[in-house]
Amino acid sequence: MSKAATLRDKDVAGLQAEIKDLQKAHFGLRMQKATQQLGNVAQLRITRRDIARAKTILAQKQASGGQAS
């Protein structure tokens, strides 16, 4: 599980890569759930919240970067 503090240390490109990786992982979990192979369905909620957390921090960085320029 990614923590907000570690995500805040990353730059915009790093955050975008993290979001992409999390979305791939979430897709894989959804496919496992659809084929009845996923044992821990709570993992879906965890990855969904990690994606939201990373997107929020990315939006904050982009907003602050836009005001500074």
Side-chain angles (χ1 to χ4, degrees):
M1 185 167 133
S2 53
K3 294 196 174 241
T6 58
L7 289 174
R8 289 188 197 283
D9 292 338
K10 294 186 178 189
D11 60 344
V12 173
L15 281 171
Q16 289 172 341
E18 181 75 20
I19 290 169
K20 190 174 182 179
D21 291 341
L22 286 168
Q23 287 175 335
K24 283 183 182 181
H26 187 67
F27 178 76
L29 289 171
R30 286 186 4 234
M31 291 301 109
Q32 286 181 8
K33 182 177 184 248
T35 58
Q36 304 294 320
Q37 295 176 349
L38 184 62
N40 185 7
V41 292
Q43 195 65 30
L44 284 168
R45 182 180 64 173
I46 293 169
T47 56
R48 190 172 63 241
R49 287 183 178 182
D50 286 344
I51 292 168
R53 186 177 296 117
K55 282 185 175 183
T56 300
I57 293 171
L58 176 64
Q60 289 173 350
K61 281 188 178 279
Q62 288 175 337
S64 68
Q67 292 174 351
S69 296

